[in-house]
Amino acid sequence: MRLLNNFFKIESSNLAEGSAEFVICFNADSEIYRAHFPGQPITPGVCIVQTAKELLDQYLDYETELIGVKNAKFLSVIVPENGKTFTYSLKKITTEEATTKCQVVVTSGEAIYAKMSITCRQK
């Protein structure tokens, strides 16, 4: 299930050689939040990782499949709020033989919400 334009939308992006920064907004009305948890929604860790993968796809301009996650640290709970944005910073993006690796940091303002390294393979 693709999350882009359903669970989250991209507000802006800044792409550079080997790095990217995406400012996104989570959709508080998403069906995912109705299940996790009704009345007090929080963003599931798996959705935080999937969002990073889909943003990497945007950077690469092709679809990938997630094949590895390392050092995933969820430091604060992401609560969807109307108008609140989160920045996904993708750093040290390297591709070798159709496999791409990058480091991801999720922030909002000064707060750090998650850090991880992901590995994806071109589909």
Side-chain angles (χ1 to χ4, degrees):
M1 175 180 168
R2 277 187 61 86
L3 301 180
L4 181 59
N5 298 325
N6 178 18
F7 183 69
F8 75 93
K9 69 177 182 172
I10 299 171
E11 297 288 327
S12 66
S13 62
N14 184 13
L15 310 179
E17 183 70 31
S19 67
E21 188 171 276
F22 293 90
V23 176
I24 69 161
C25 185
F26 290 103
N27 177 7
D29 296 325
S30 170
E31 196 171 307
I32 292 170
Y33 287 123
R34 286 195 288 273
H36 199 266
F37 295 93
Q40 198 171 24
I42 62 170
T43 306
V46 69
C47 292
I48 295 169
V49 174
Q50 178 67 20
T51 298
K53 177 255 184 242
E54 290 186 24
L55 293 172
L56 181 60
D57 289 357
Q58 292 291 307
Y59 173 83
L60 296 170
D61 198 28
Y62 57 80
E63 193 171 349
T64 65
E65 63 180 327
L66 184 67
I67 59 172
V69 179
K70 283 184 161 181
N71 304 318
K73 296 177 182 155
F74 301 102
L75 305 169
S76 294
V77 175
I78 295 178
V79 177
E81 298 174 27
N82 289 331
K84 184 170 184 177
T85 60
F86 294 85
T87 301
Y88 271 69
S89 298
L90 284 59
K91 300 175 182 180
K92 298 184 180 179
I93 302 171
T94 58
T95 302
E96 192 173 300
E97 297 181 20
T99 300
T100 301
K101 296 180 179 184
C102 76
Q103 296 175 354
V104 181
V105 178
V106 183
T107 60
S108 184
E110 297 295 316
I112 299 173
Y113 288 84
K115 293 181 178 182
M116 70 194 87
S117 295
I118 62 173
T119 303
C120 297
R121 177 175 48 226
Q122 185 174 2
K123 275 189 166 183

